[in-house]
Amino acid sequence: MLLETGTNKYPLLVTTCMRDANLIKIMIEERALIKLIKSIGEKEYSTRDLLKKLGAYGYGHKLLLKAADKGLVERSTVKNKTYNKLTKEGKKFMKLASEIGV
């Protein structure tokens, strides 16, 4: 995508390479997030059900909060239950992980 800035005659090329590089950096630093993101998939899970599925309550919850801070998971509360689903960035993360073969 080309984006021109003001009166500058040289257009600035904006690509998604930086976002992909950021996602790869997250994959390298937090390998356990890959399992969490793949566990969520396209569905929406309550936190309790998701942690049961992962089999890790303390560490799994910390990972879930970390994924929410990084913008990979969206958390919403309905009647004392917190539901978790992937954001667009989380879906890109999952797709990139499957392309790499992790």
Side-chain angles (χ1 to χ4, degrees):
M1 165 174 26
L2 288 174
L3 176 73
E4 289 200 37
T5 57
T7 60
N8 190 358
K9 63 181 179 179
Y10 301 106
L12 176 68
L13 182 63
V14 179
T15 64
T16 59
C17 291
M18 290 304 292
R19 283 191 226 148
D20 289 346
N22 190 27
L23 292 177
I24 290 173
K25 181 181 175 192
I26 293 170
M27 268 188 232
I28 293 169
E29 292 174 352
E30 301 288 338
R31 289 191 51 94
L33 279 178
I34 297 169
K35 184 177 178 185
L36 173 74
I37 297 296
K38 285 183 176 181
S39 298
I40 296 173
E42 297 293 324
K43 297 182 182 179
E44 182 177 26
Y45 288 100
S46 70
T47 301
R48 180 174 290 187
D49 293 339
L50 183 59
L51 294 178
K52 279 183 186 176
K53 186 176 180 179
L54 284 174
Y57 291 97
Y59 184 62
H61 193 256
K62 282 186 178 182
L63 276 177
L64 189 58
L65 295 176
K66 198 177 282 190
D69 287 342
K70 293 184 184 287
L72 301 173
V73 176
E74 179 185 337
R75 295 170 52 92
S76 59
T77 305
V78 178
K79 291 188 180 181
N80 294 335
K81 274 193 169 184
T82 304
Y83 292 95
N84 307 283
K85 66 179 180 180
L86 293 181
T87 60
K88 288 181 182 179
E89 289 295 315
K91 290 176 184 175
K92 286 181 190 176
F93 184 84
M94 188 173 68
K95 183 179 177 186
L96 190 60
S98 65
E99 285 176 2
I100 292 174
V102 180

